[in-house]
Amino acid sequence: MRIGYGFDSHEFKPGVPLVIGGVKIDHAKGLAGHSDGDVLLHAITDALLGAIAAGDIGSFFPPNDPKWKGADSAIFLAEALKQVKAKGYKVENVDSSLVMAEPKIGPHAKAIQKNIADLLGIWPDCVGVKAKTPEGLNLENTAVAHAVVLLSTKVR
Ligand code: MG
């Protein structure tokens, strides 16, 4: 068994689409970043890589590489999953917390949960998506994501 933890943060920026957990959310601002800025998929990607001590998202996808400009972060997650499988592990479950002032994640949580489950090839009830507002953190223009994953050894 292995446990992995990932963290990410991105600043909100007007005029770009907001994508969280691979789901497009209608909002006046999106997340700035070299890729699509999907803070949640980045945190889960790092959690997967961390669980197998394989570095982090930046070691596979350098942020200065023009190839990843505007990239769909599902690509990053897929690579991390490939690394996990290559090491003989499978994903048991994922849990996550999003911290942002707005938009409200509640109405989108089910869609995000389903999409992450599909990307990882696990059941939606193995994907926790929780959301909080940044009370007292002074992070009104920032989206933060934390994620943990549990991996089990595949029977060979
Ligand atoms: Mg990121």
Side-chain angles (χ1 to χ4, degrees):
M1 298 256 264
R2 291 288 182 104
I3 189 167
Y5 167 74
F7 165 89
D8 197 28
S9 66
H10 282 259
E11 195 172 12
F12 280 98
K13 176 183 163 186
V16 295
L18 178 61
V19 185
I20 294 178
V23 173
K24 231 179 219 177
I25 295 172
D26 197 25
H27 190 58
K29 296 174 186 174
L31 294 173
H34 189 64
S35 65
D36 63 5
D38 193 327
V39 70
L40 181 54
L41 291 193
H42 294 180
I44 296 171
T45 298
D46 262 0
L48 289 169
L49 293 173
I52 53 166
D56 60 27
I57 194 168
S59 45
F60 285 86
F61 304 99
N64 51 6
D65 188 336
K67 195 157 76 176
W68 308 118
K69 187 156 171 51
D72 179 347
S73 295
I75 295 167
F76 308 154
L77 190 71
E79 177 60 34
L81 185 61
K82 196 178 112 188
Q83 297 292 325
V84 161
K85 287 179 173 170
K87 291 252 179 178
Y89 290 98
K90 73 180 185 89
V91 179
E92 286 295 328
N93 75 308
V94 176
D95 190 19
S96 64
S97 286
L98 286 159
V99 187
M100 64 188 72
E102 56 176 24
K104 288 271 173 260
I105 294 301
H108 310 284
K110 277 259 178 290
I112 293 171
Q113 178 190 40
K114 167 84 168 70
N115 191 55
I116 292 169
D118 287 349
L119 292 172
L120 293 174
I122 58 179
W123 297 106
D125 68 358
C126 297
V127 179
V129 178
K130 311 187 298 299
K132 308 193 79 70
T133 50
E135 303 290 322
L137 290 175
N138 234 336
L139 289 174
E140 303 313 304
N141 205 40
T142 308
V144 169
H146 301 264
V148 288
V149 303
L150 185 70
L151 308 181
S152 61
T153 313
K154 269 193 213 163
V155 179
R156 277 175 267 198

